Amino acid sequence: MRSSVLLGAVLPFAQAIRIVQSNDDGWAEINARTFFNSLSAAGHDIILSAPAENQSGKGSSDADPTTVDSDGCEFSSCPGGSPATGSNATDPRLNYVNSFPVTSMKNGIDVTAPALWSGETPELAVTGPNVGSNVGIQAPFSGTIGAAVHAAHTAKIPALAFSGVSGDPTAWDQATPIHSKVYADLALNLTSTIIDSGAPYLPDDVFLNVNFAEVTDTTCNDASQFKFILTRINTGILSDKDVEWCGSTRLPWEVDVVFLRGQCYASVSVGDANDKTTADATSQEAVLEKLKPLLTCL
Ligand SMILES: *[C@@H]1O[C@H](CO)[C@@H](O)[C@H](O)[C@H]1NC(C)=O
Ligand SMILES: *[C@@H]1O[C@H](CO)[C@@H](O)[C@H](O)[C@H]1NC(C)=O
Ligand SMILES: *[C@@H]1O[C@H](CO)[C@@H](O)[C@H](O)[C@H]1NC(C)=O
């Protein structure tokens, strides 16, 4: 296996930790694989445990995995009739679960992680980057958010859900599209900032819903062009005050930041893992303290 000690000496990370990753586009989608490779290259112990098939829009559904049908896993990434769970033939860190996003996250935390890590469990959970946004009213239906919320709420593992506006579903063995590269760079930046801020990585029962604006060949095509903005999941017209930030006690709405502004923005909403709504000002404040080096005002 890799030597974390040697990697740690040359990479800019304070510490390497154990991370479990899932998504809802399926274990063989290239956004997830690109981010997996970045986290691995940064020295972290990373396990991917994601659906065998596209399970977009399945929210918090959960059911025992079943034998893969005769069509095989998505993008022919496993043969028809494969077992209900399985891993890449040469890399046991890459795992499919033939069920919902929540089920794959659960299997990653409860079964695969302790098996590969001598009984140890993940210190952090990440999902995505999803192909397509998960903002506002999309949140309750999102498998990307569903899997993150399972980690944060049920398994008590801090969780970061990532989604990007651009791109079509792409197989893991194709050339890496520009959006996958940019979204993985941005997701690694935020993940590293959270890790470097020290444990506890997030307040109890909180997840972060992170969305990246459109990337094209000529616009927002490098992570350095992006600005991270602290946002809300819903507009908050009738809600209690948000944390005071950028001269206001009402944070911007993530939909506005990611879609309506037409700029290279990444929205970061502090989510309540009980109900997938915006977390209260106290939780926002704790996250703000951790992410201040990254955040900009609109
Ligand atoms: C998954 O299905 C959704 C809707 O059913 C579709 O929009 C999306 O592109 C699909 N993703 C993959 C990875 O096939
Ligand atoms: C399995 O891993 C090998 C080595 O990393 C890679 O070449 C292959 O494409 C992977 N296949 C799948 C389905 O992940
Ligand atoms: C992370 O993002 C911030 C804000 O955009 C940027 O200043 C910083 O250089 C990025 N760090 C890395 C390692 O990419």
Side-chain angles (χ1 to χ4, degrees):
M1 294 297 286
R2 296 159 302 112
S3 163
S4 299
V5 176
L6 281 177
L7 283 170
V10 294
L11 289 158
F13 292 98
Q15 52 171 338
I17 68 165
R18 294 183 304 277
I19 303 175
V20 64
Q21 181 189 14
S22 192
N23 75 351
D24 69 10
D25 296 306
W27 80 307
E29 209 288 323
I30 200 163
N31 271 9
R33 295 295 184 101
T34 307
F35 186 32
F36 175 95
N37 291 335
S38 305
L39 288 166
S40 178
H44 298 296
D45 284 321
I46 166 91
I47 285 171
L48 174 70
S49 179
E53 308 281 2
N54 178 18
Q55 295 282 353
S56 195
K58 298 292 168 61
S60 286
S61 302
D62 181 21
D64 286 343
T66 54
T67 302
V68 175
D69 68 20
S70 56
D71 294 337
C73 297
E74 66 174 352
F75 308 127
S76 306
S77 58
C78 83
S82 290
T85 64
S87 56
N88 177 289
T90 55
D91 189 344
R93 301 174 305 161
L94 297 168
N95 296 272
Y96 73 78
V97 174
N98 192 32
S99 185
F100 297 110
V102 163
T103 317
S104 359
M105 177 60 87
K106 197 161 85 171
N107 206 71
I109 294 169
D110 297 344
V111 181
T112 312
L116 290 185
W117 295 335
S118 317
E120 303 243 57
T121 50
E123 295 162 277
L124 183 71
V126 297
T127 60
N130 186 66
V131 181
S133 66
N134 280 306
V135 288
I137 195 74
Q138 295 171 321
F141 309 102
S142 162
T144 307
I145 292 178
V149 160
H150 171 83
H153 181 67
T154 310
K156 300 292 169 208
I157 295 170
L160 315 174
F162 296 103
S163 304
V165 168
S166 295
D168 295 314
T170 304
W172 84 101
D173 56 357
Q174 302 300 300
T176 308
I178 183 72
H179 70 269
S180 299
K181 164 88 173 86
V182 172
Y183 294 158
D185 287 349
L186 291 166
L188 178 64
N189 191 336
L190 187 132
T191 304
S192 310
T193 306
I194 287 288
I195 293 170
D196 290 349
S197 75
Y201 298 123
L202 292 177
D204 191 38
D205 230 358
V206 157
F207 72 102
L208 297 189
N209 188 38
V210 184
N211 280 270
F212 306 123
E214 184 181 38
V215 166
T216 72
D217 286 341
T218 52
T219 60
C220 307
N221 57 2
D222 191 285
S224 66
Q225 296 171 25
F226 273 76
K227 293 187 165 70
F228 288 88
I229 310 290
L230 193 64
T231 52
R232 299 178 51 85
I233 294 173
N234 53 319
T235 54
I237 291 162
L238 299 173
S239 306
D240 292 344
K241 285 180 180 175
D242 289 320
V243 63
E244 188 171 353
W245 175 237
C246 300
S248 169
T249 52
R250 180 58 74 225
L251 295 172
W253 186 28
E254 59 187 11
V255 175
D256 179 26
V257 167
V258 166
F259 281 106
L260 308 182
R261 302 267 170 166
Q263 301 208 36
C264 310
Y265 284 141
S267 64
V268 183
S269 294
V270 184
D272 182 340
N274 263 303
D275 58 8
K276 306 179 187 175
T277 62
T278 308
D280 65 18
T282 308
S283 295
Q284 291 171 348
E285 170 78 42
V287 172
L288 173 60
E289 287 309 316
K290 288 173 171 286
L291 292 184
K292 255 185 193 158
L294 209 56
L295 295 171
T296 310
C297 298
L298 281 179

